[in-house]
Amino acid sequence: MAKHAQSFVCQNCGAAYRRWQGKCDACGEWNTIAEENAAARAPGRPPRKGRLFALEPLAGEAHEAPRLSSGLPELDRVIGGGFVRGSVLLVGGDPGIGKSTLLIEAAAALARAGHRAVYISGEEAVAQVRLRAERLALSEASVELAAETSVEDILATLSDGATPRLVVIDSIQTMWTDAVDSAPGTVTQVRGAAQALIRFAKRSGAAVILVGHVTKEGQIAGPRVIEHMVDAVLSFEGEGSHQFRILRAVKNRFGPTDEIGVFEMTGTGLRQVANPSELFLSDRDLGVPGTAVFAGIEGTRPVLVEIQALVAPSALGTPRRAVVGWDQNRLSMVLAVLEAHCGVRLATHDVYLNVAGGLRIQEPACDLAAAAALVSSLANAPLPADAVYFGEVSLSGAVRPVPHSTARLKEAAKLGFARAIVPEAGREPAADVALALTAVGALTSLVSDIAARGVPPRRAQARMARQDG
Ligand SMILES: [Zn+2]
């Protein structure tokens, strides 16, 4: 008797259960568990006998993986210098962020260089892909197009004729394979389709790019499992209201993961941005008191974000404390430390703190940036525009070291910042970071530094009044 092969799989994280339940114990999501048939097809087929293969010694010739330039330097930078033969990349990002545009541009650049590039769209009809190519002025590039979703058909077509150097599958969530019984779009289907495409890449030497959509939590939708199967996971990010896009490697077997590629979305496609700081800094209100740039880490990724603070005299008996994007308790703690150890009087002031761009910061490393923004607003002292801040503040007023300071500093340097205000203790010897570091041991010294730069509002007003008269 064959074992009962039905199982219930969480569509968010891939955890398997014997029976259905409303909430996934593994990831905490509700209503994500669906029934799937995990058994392979053809149950009557006898098990295949293993084939003998030669084992090799550890010593021997080692080849540096040969690279094929994508034709887009910003993309090459992120993947570590170009596509590796037989490698599989997963490119994730929100729908509409420009993944298809990026990849059709890469395919066109490769085709122009005389390589065979194939673009399979499971989302759009060929005519739609053609329209996009026309808009991007890529129509003359000899990219081969198809609108297909059957992995078996795709692999049969790709295996026919010369092996393509690049295959783009847009998207992996639309692909389905006969080898798995589950419904299209389920974790098991996506995993099965990805497995078949990965086998093809390894066998043929073609570089395969899988496009994956991202959930609101920032994970490649559904199959986190395929993140472990591919050689590299790239994430294409940006905000709807901004024109810039950031490509970063979340995982990379053949290169570093701390490189980012920056693009600007224009009417005629993605423009590569060689100097990202211009673009990034163009959105900030420079020279305004109450803003500080925090060099943070989101998951494994460094993210720079602006912390905005407004400290204003309160008309209320109990002054307001409002915070968006950060922990309310954390704010209260920083305010208490400023009062108790730094002589900053806030009891009669309303305090507003906002993390720009709708980001939600979890880490205590934001303490120093928040304190800097608060004091900057109170003292009416703009902070240096080319500085980033990070560090945890303890109840004693000491500035404590935080993890990943090298990654934070590298990201800041990458985005064009020139200096960083960092914790004194545990400072990593970041020799390869081109940033002027100011070490702060106690919050008091930061406060007095900022206060020394500022003009108290009343005196500033008085001065303006004198100038008017
Ligand atoms: Zn789950």
Side-chain angles (χ1 to χ4, degrees), residues 78-387:
V78 177
I79 57 184
F83 296 118
V84 174
R85 280 176 64 86
S87 67
V88 180
L89 268 77
L90 177 65
V91 177
D94 293 326
I97 205 77
K99 300 185 292 291
S100 304
T101 302
L102 174 73
L103 296 176
I104 196 94
E105 285 191 10
L110 229 62
R112 281 207 188 106
H115 302 292
R116 188 177 177 211
V118 178
Y119 193 100
I120 309 279
S121 176
E123 307 257 341
E124 296 175 313
V126 168
Q128 275 175 289
V129 181
R130 279 205 187 117
L131 267 177
R132 175 179 293 120
E134 208 169 286
R135 188 164 52 78
L136 304 174
L138 300 171
S139 303
E140 89 296 353
S142 58
V143 177
E144 296 165 53
L145 286 182
E148 281 296 333
T149 54
S150 159
V151 170
E152 280 73 23
D153 294 352
I154 291 166
L155 293 184
T157 308
L158 293 179
S159 307
D160 191 40
T163 300
R165 297 301 300 273
L166 178 70
V167 178
V168 178
I169 304 287
D170 186 4
S171 66
I172 187 63
Q173 278 110 337
T174 57
M175 297 294 141
W176 61 278
T177 168
D178 280 341
V180 175
D181 238 0
S182 306
T186 57
V187 168
T188 313
Q189 262 300 347
V190 171
R191 187 164 41 195
Q195 258 160 5
L197 290 161
I198 290 165
R199 269 200 305 275
F200 166 77
K202 304 293 166 205
R203 197 177 62 228
S204 67
V208 173
I209 300 182
L210 309 175
V211 175
H213 295 307
V214 156
T215 61
K216 57 185 185 304
E217 289 82 22
Q219 286 155 0
I220 309 286
R224 250 195 289 180
V225 275
I226 67 171
E227 290 192 20
H228 305 297
M229 293 156 56
V230 297
D231 298 306
V233 179
L234 308 184
S235 154
F236 201 42
E237 299 161 6
E239 244 186 88
S241 55
H242 296 298
Q243 291 308 300
F244 64 88
R245 303 282 184 267
I246 293 181
L247 183 71
R248 49 179 104 231
V250 180
K251 160 189 169 177
N252 194 350
R253 254 179 219 161
F254 303 116
T257 53
D258 50 5
E259 290 286 350
I260 63 169
V262 182
F263 300 85
E264 186 182 7
M265 184 60 89
T266 70
T268 54
L270 290 162
R271 186 179 73 86
Q272 301 186 64
V273 180
N275 186 1
S277 57
E278 290 170 30
L279 205 61
F280 186 75
L281 294 175
S282 68
D283 270 0
R284 292 170 57 207
D285 296 325
L286 296 178
V288 176
T291 66
V293 176
F294 166 51
I297 300 277
E298 288 296 313
T300 57
R301 314 175 212 167
V303 174
L304 298 196
V305 61
E306 192 180 59
I307 310 293
Q308 304 164 343
L310 178 64
V311 180
S314 179
L316 306 167
T318 309
R320 282 192 60 111
R321 301 281 183 257
V323 57
V324 177
W326 200 41
D327 186 9
Q328 179 89 45
N329 295 327
R330 212 70 217 168
L331 173 66
S332 305
M333 196 209 82
V334 168
L335 292 175
V337 172
L338 284 171
E339 290 240 13
H341 296 291
C342 310
V344 179
R345 299 279 160 257
L346 294 158
T348 56
H349 287 76
D350 289 334
V351 173
Y352 302 90
L353 193 89
N354 178 43
V355 177
L359 197 71
R360 203 177 153 77
I361 296 174
Q362 311 280 359
E363 46 169 1
C366 187
D367 291 353
L368 195 64
L374 291 165
V375 175
S376 162
S377 175
L378 181 71
N380 197 29
L383 300 171
D386 59 351

Side-chain angles (χ1 to χ4, degrees), residues 375 379-382 445-456 459:
V375 175
N380 197 29
S445 61
L446 178 81
V447 171
S448 49
D449 278 0
I450 296 171
R453 303 169 58 96
V455 185
R459 212 185 300 160

Side-chain angles (χ1 to χ4, degrees), residues 9-17 23-30 32-33 224:
V9 179
C10 170
Q11 304 299 302
N12 184 50
C13 70
Y17 297 91
K23 186 186 180 190
C24 174
D25 296 333
C27 68
E29 287 291 310
W30 286 89
T32 55
I33 293 171
R224 250 195 289 180

Side-chain angles (χ1 to χ4, degrees), residues 405-420:
S405 42
T406 306
R408 296 173 202 270
L409 294 170
K410 274 191 175 174
E411 181 83 345
K414 188 100 207 156
L415 286 169
F417 286 86
R419 48 184 139 169

